[in-house]
Amino acid sequence: MSKKRIVIALGHHALGTNLPEQKAAVVNTAQVIADFIQKGWQVALVHSNAPQVGMIHTAMNEFSRQHPGYTPAPMSVCSAMSQGYIGYDLQSGIRSELIRRGIYKPVSTILTQMMVNPYDASFYTPVKKIGRYMTRQEADDEEAKGNYVTEIPGKGWQRIVSAPRPVSIVEIDAIRALLNADQIVICCGGGGIPVLEQGSRLKGASAVIEKDLAAGLLAMETDADVLMILTSVSNVTLNYGTPEEKPISRMTTCQAEEYIRLGHFEFASMLPKIEAAVSFLKSGKNRNAIITTLDKASDSLEGRAGTIISEVL
């Protein structure tokens, strides 16, 4: 009998927002992931990278500004850098925790490219903020390069980039091969490196991808049994932030689609998580999607916590 397979999307609460926080957070995250592996699950991990890629983007820009002859790194390169160093910490932490438990399994990070549609509507309406706050002059310089900026009242200006939907995973065959060999895979970090197909070449796009949508696509492409999205809230709620706020423990795909239609989920936070869950569930049978926090991950898998989304209740 084949093992059950789970794709877990880690939010920034599982990673911290800077190097010292990340080192500390990964110790706890590795323990939770090791619990799943010890129970016999095949695990693929997707992680967020918003604070990290912003830090890298800022650092590369500042370095090039102060040292003539060096150029700023494009977003695709910054994304690749963030995948590398977050993956390094995760694979090292998980490996150590598994060995401590007497489990010897390889843990690998795959730098993952994600194909996007060049005509995706988001390229015309960038919304994702990236990097530090800038002065008006610095913002003008960014716009002169063809980049988009937006004013943040009272703080300055900030670069904004597009968030296209992922279409396909370039390295999916390698990811499947590792999972089929019962190894732990860290991939699609930060939603993957967005790339555009140009003949035989893949060109990095100045964009970021929602990591939850990437996790949903990964779960579909690897025929996972469970998609688990770990975030800062233990349950999905209706009427969030109002006196009528109501947590949901279970809902069907049909109910989730209706809640989306009624506008219950915020565009930049819960909506992509629900959309990823619905797409994953509709692409196969006998699957579950779970949205909860890192500390409730194990309990949610047993139906004792979190929000569980399935075809039928």
Side-chain angles (χ1 to χ4, degrees):
M1 183 176 172
S2 61
K3 287 191 172 187
K4 287 201 167 185
R5 184 172 290 177
I6 185 169
V7 169
I8 302 175
L10 301 171
H12 73 266
H13 289 81
L15 297 171
T17 58
N18 55 43
L19 284 168
E21 285 183 10
Q22 183 170 302
K23 287 285 186 186
V26 162
V27 173
N28 182 50
T29 300
Q31 293 172 357
V32 174
I33 302 306
D35 287 341
F36 283 96
I37 296 162
Q38 194 162 26
K39 291 173 183 175
W41 286 86
Q42 290 183 334
V43 176
L45 291 175
V46 177
H47 59 77
S48 67
N49 74 340
Q52 291 87 351
V53 78
M55 176 185 70
I56 292 168
H57 179 263
T58 298
M60 298 301 290
N61 277 348
E62 292 301 312
F63 187 81
S64 67
R65 192 172 285 122
Q66 296 178 29
H67 297 272
Y70 289 89
T71 59
M75 280 301 302
S76 56
V77 173
C78 294
S79 177
M81 289 180 178
S82 72
Q83 284 192 30
Y85 102 78
I86 295 171
Y88 160 67
D89 274 348
L90 277 172
Q91 71 182 46
S92 178
I94 294 168
R95 177 184 179 275
S96 296
E97 182 61 25
L98 291 177
I99 290 175
R100 191 182 69 80
R101 301 184 188 200
I103 301 170
Y104 300 91
K105 283 181 182 289
V107 187
S108 302
T109 298
I110 295 183
L111 291 185
T112 315
Q113 301 172 97
M114 197 72 74
M115 203 80 75
V116 297
N117 184 343
Y119 302 107
D120 190 295
S122 72
F123 282 118
Y124 307 101
T125 55
V127 294
K128 285 287 186 178
K129 301 180 182 69
I130 193 78
R132 66 172 177 82
Y133 298 115
M134 299 178 287
T135 65
R136 177 68 264 186
Q137 180 58 55
E138 289 171 329
D140 289 342
D141 292 342
E142 283 295 317
E143 288 183 320
K145 298 175 191 174
N147 296 325
Y148 292 92
V149 298
T150 186
E151 185 175 4
I152 312 298
K155 295 182 178 179
W157 285 259
Q158 198 168 17
R159 186 177 171 189
I160 51 174
V161 297
S162 306
R165 298 182 74 86
V167 174
S168 62
I169 302 168
V170 177
E171 289 78 17
I172 190 61
D173 289 338
I175 294 167
R176 287 194 190 115
L178 290 171
L179 284 173
N180 290 340
D182 202 24
Q183 299 184 23
I184 299 99
V185 186
I186 302 161
C187 57
C188 304
I193 304 162
V195 293
L196 303 166
E197 193 168 19
Q198 296 185 343
S200 61
R201 294 179 61 247
L202 295 177
K203 177 179 173 58
S206 183
V208 295
I209 295 172
E210 288 282 359
K211 68 103 175 40
D212 300 314
L213 296 179
L217 180 59
L218 176 67
M220 286 187 272
E221 292 293 326
T222 57
D223 195 23
D225 298 282
V226 175
L227 168 64
M228 178 177 285
I229 299 175
L230 301 179
T231 185
S232 60
V233 293
S234 56
N235 288 81
V236 177
T237 61
L238 301 180
N239 305 307
Y240 180 73
T242 73
E244 291 76 38
E245 185 172 324
K246 176 186 175 184
I248 305 171
S249 58
R250 287 183 178 271
M251 63 177 158
T252 65
T253 51
C254 288
Q255 288 173 326
E257 288 179 311
E258 179 63 9
Y259 294 145
I260 290 173
R261 189 186 69 80
L262 294 172
H264 276 287
F265 308 123
E266 291 187 9
F267 169 78
S269 56
M270 191 55 70
L271 181 59
K273 297 171 175 54
I274 303 297
E275 289 179 334
V278 169
S279 296
F280 166 64
L281 293 168
K282 292 177 76 172
S283 68
K285 301 291 184 182
N286 302 315
R287 295 172 166 180
N288 284 326
I290 298 170
I291 300 174
T292 192
T293 54
L294 181 70
D295 63 323
K296 295 183 184 292
S298 293
D299 285 343
S300 68
L301 202 58
E302 306 297 328
R304 299 193 300 268
T307 297
I308 299 173
I309 310 171
S310 53
E311 274 193 288
V312 295
L313 291 177

